[in-house]
Amino acid sequence: MRQVVTTRNGGVEVLEVQNATNPNAGSGEVVIDVRAAGLNFADILARQGLYPDGPKKPCVMGYEVAGVVEKVGDGVDPTLLGQPVVAMTRFRGQAEKVAVGANQVFAKPGGLSFEEAAAIPVNYLTAYALLVVMGGLRKSESVLIHNAGGGVGLAALDIARHIGATTYGTASLGKHAFLRARGLDHPIDYRNQDWLPVLKQLTNDRGVELVIDPIGGAHWKKSYEALRTTGRLGVFGVSTASANGLKGKLKLVKAALQMPRFHPLGLLNKNRGVFGLNLGHMWHESEKVAEWVQAIMTGVSEGWIRPYVDKTFAFEQAGEAHSYLELRKNKGKVVLVP
Ligand SMILES: NC(=O)c1ccc[n+]([C@@H]2O[C@H](COP(=O)([O-])OP(=O)(O)OC[C@H]3O[C@@H](n4cnc5c(N)ncnc54)[C@H](OP(=O)(O)O)[C@@H]3O)[C@@H](O)[C@H]2O)c1
C-alpha cells in the first residue's frame, strides 16, 4: 500500500509517498480500505516539529478516514466486512489501508461522499465538545468562533446555529461572503483590524457568553476580555506558533510566555469560566466520544451538520495540501485521497 510519510521535521518537502506492507487486523480491530483521509492543522504542526502529541518521525499522520472495511480481527462483528465506514485513527490514517480499533469505527452516512464523511470526525467532535459538552452554549446566548472559516470553525458554526445562538466569527475578509452564506451572523475581519473593539461595538459593549480560541498565546487573554458575565472561554490550540524551523520554536516559546494565568478568585468575582480541550487525549474515553458521534450523525441525517470539503488533494500532492492550509486559503476541510 501507499502512505504519506512525514520523513522528518521541516517544510512540505519532507512529505513523501512511500510503499509499505498492508496492515493486518489484530484482535478487536478492522482494516479499512481508505477512500479519503482528513488533513488537520495538527498534521502541519507535527511536520513543523511543534506538535508534542505527534509520533516519532518518520511517521504517517492522519486522525480520520472514510473507507470500506476489508478485514476484521478476532472478536469483531463479521457483518462489518464490506461496510462503508468513517473512523478516528490514532495517526496512520493518511494511507491506503489502516488498522483501527472497532470501537473507533462508525457507519458512514449514506448521503455523504467518502470525502465529506472524512471531514466529520476531528472537526465536528472538537466543535461539539467545545460548544455543547464543555461550553454549554444555549439558545439565548452568543458565541465568538475564531477562524470561523476553517474546519473546526465551520463545524462550530453548524452546531451554534442548530442551538439557535447568535454567532460572531473572525476570519480573513475573503471568507466573509462564504461564511454569511453558511449562516454566520457577524463575520469580523481580524487580519486588518483589532477584532475586540469591533466585537464590543457589535454587542453593545457586553461581549459574548462563549469564545472558542485555537490561536493561543496572548490571544487567549484578549478572548477572555471578550466574555460577557457568565461567559466561558474554551482554549484548544496554538496555531499562532505555526512556522518552519527555528522560527516556529521561537514562536512557540513566545506563545507560552504570553499565555495568561487565570486566578480562581478572578473567575469567581467575574462570573467567568475557562476550559481546555484536547481531542487527542480522549482515546481512553471512547464511550463518551461514541455518544458525541451519535449526536453528530443525528445532525447529519437531520441536515444541520453539513461537512464542507473545500479541496481534495491526491497523496502525491500532500505538500500542496499542507501549503493550502498554511497559506490560509482553505474554507472548511481539506481532504487527501489515495
Ligand atoms: N485541541 C483539539 O482537540 C483540536 C482539534 C482540532 C483542531 N484544533 C486546533 O484548531 C485549529 C484549527 O484547526 P483546523 O484543522 O480546523 O484548521 P483550519 O482552521 O482549517 O486551519 C487553517 C485556518 O486557520 C486560520 N489561521 C489562524 N492562524 C493561522 C496561522 N498562524 N497559520 C495558518 N492559518 C491560520 C486561517 O484562517 P483565516 O483565513 O481566517 O485566518 C486558516 O485558513 C488549529 O489550531 C488546531 O490545532 C485543536
Side-chain angles (χ1 to χ4, degrees):
M1 67 160 182
R2 288 151 56 250
Q3 54 183 10
V4 180
V5 179
T6 307
T7 55
R8 59 187 187 282
N9 293 343
V12 296
E13 70 285 351
V14 305
L15 298 169
E16 282 175 20
V17 177
Q18 295 180 359
N19 290 320
T21 313
N22 286 0
N24 283 317
S27 174
E29 289 184 337
V30 304
V31 169
I32 298 172
D33 181 49
V34 175
R35 306 293 165 85
L39 183 68
N40 287 290
F41 211 81
D43 303 328
I44 285 151
L45 293 175
R47 193 206 73 222
Q48 293 169 332
L50 302 175
Y51 187 57
D53 290 344
K56 255 185 81 179
K57 297 184 181 76
C59 65
V60 177
M61 293 299 292
Y63 271 123
E64 57 195 348
V65 300
V68 176
V69 175
E70 69 165 32
K71 292 179 193 169
V72 294
D74 287 346
V76 178
D77 176 4
T79 63
L80 270 176
L81 270 174
Q83 293 300 315
V85 292
V86 54
M88 299 282 299
T89 56
R90 197 169 191 174
F91 313 116
R92 304 185 325 279
Q94 291 160 10
E96 282 181 319
K97 320 266 176 196
V98 63
V100 56
N103 61 347
Q104 290 157 224
V105 174
F106 305 90
K108 181 180 89 61
L112 299 184
S113 65
F114 283 108
E115 288 83 354
E116 287 167 332
I120 288 185
V122 174
N123 288 169
Y124 281 92
L125 283 168
T126 303
Y128 188 83
L130 285 166
L131 266 58
V132 178
V133 180
M134 299 186 79
L137 185 66
R138 296 153 63 100
K139 187 181 168 67
S140 57
E141 295 188 325
S142 51
V143 58
L144 171 63
I145 302 165
H146 285 301
N147 299 156
V152 174
L154 284 192
L157 178 58
D158 276 355
I159 294 168
R161 287 185 71 226
H162 179 66
I163 291 169
T166 305
T167 51
Y168 300 82
T170 61
S172 294
L173 189 56
K175 299 176 185 176
H176 286 201
F178 169 78
L179 281 166
R180 277 189 207 279
R182 293 281 297 190
L184 180 67
D185 298 316
H186 303 283
I188 301 174
D189 174 12
Y190 74 136
R191 306 284 308 283
N192 299 307
Q193 62 183 344
D194 186 352
W195 60 265
L196 185 56
V198 179
L199 180 84
K200 285 284 170 82
Q201 197 188 9
L202 287 168
T203 59
N204 288 329
D205 220 29
R206 283 198 293 252
V208 294
E209 280 88 359
L210 180 64
V211 181
I212 60 167
D213 189 335
I215 295 175
H219 202 260
W220 285 343
K221 185 163 186 285
K222 203 159 149 182
S223 288
Y224 182 75
E225 286 164 25
L227 293 179
R228 185 175 176 170
T229 312
T230 73
R232 293 84 67 194
L233 166 63
V235 300
F236 68 109
V238 189
S239 50
T240 187
S242 172
N244 292 322
L246 184 61
K247 192 171 170 205
K249 303 244 169 355
L250 292 174
K251 285 175 90 171
L252 193 58
V253 170
K254 186 176 168 202
L257 292 173
Q258 291 184 336
M259 280 175 196
R261 308 273 184 272
F262 300 104
H263 197 282
L265 287 178
L267 297 173
L268 183 156
N269 287 322
K270 282 195 146 53
N271 290 302
R272 289 183 184 176
V274 178
F275 63 91
L277 174 81
N278 187 338
L279 194 64
H281 292 184
M282 288 294 296
W283 297 104
H284 61 298
E285 291 277 16
S286 58
E287 283 169 21
K288 214 181 248 288
V289 175
E291 188 196 311
W292 305 350
V293 172
Q294 228 44 62
I296 291 163
M297 293 308 187
T298 300
V300 173
S301 59
E302 291 176 356
W304 52 270
I305 294 279
R306 306 165 296 159
Y308 180 84
V309 177
D310 180 1
K311 220 166 148 92
T312 300
F313 293 86
F315 278 3
E316 281 73 14
Q317 301 171 302
E320 287 167 54
H322 277 227
S323 297
Y324 196 69
L325 274 164
E326 284 174 86
L327 296 173
R328 303 170 186 258
K329 289 185 180 165
N330 69 303
K331 296 189 197 91
K333 194 73 180 179
V334 170
V335 168
L336 297 176
V337 290

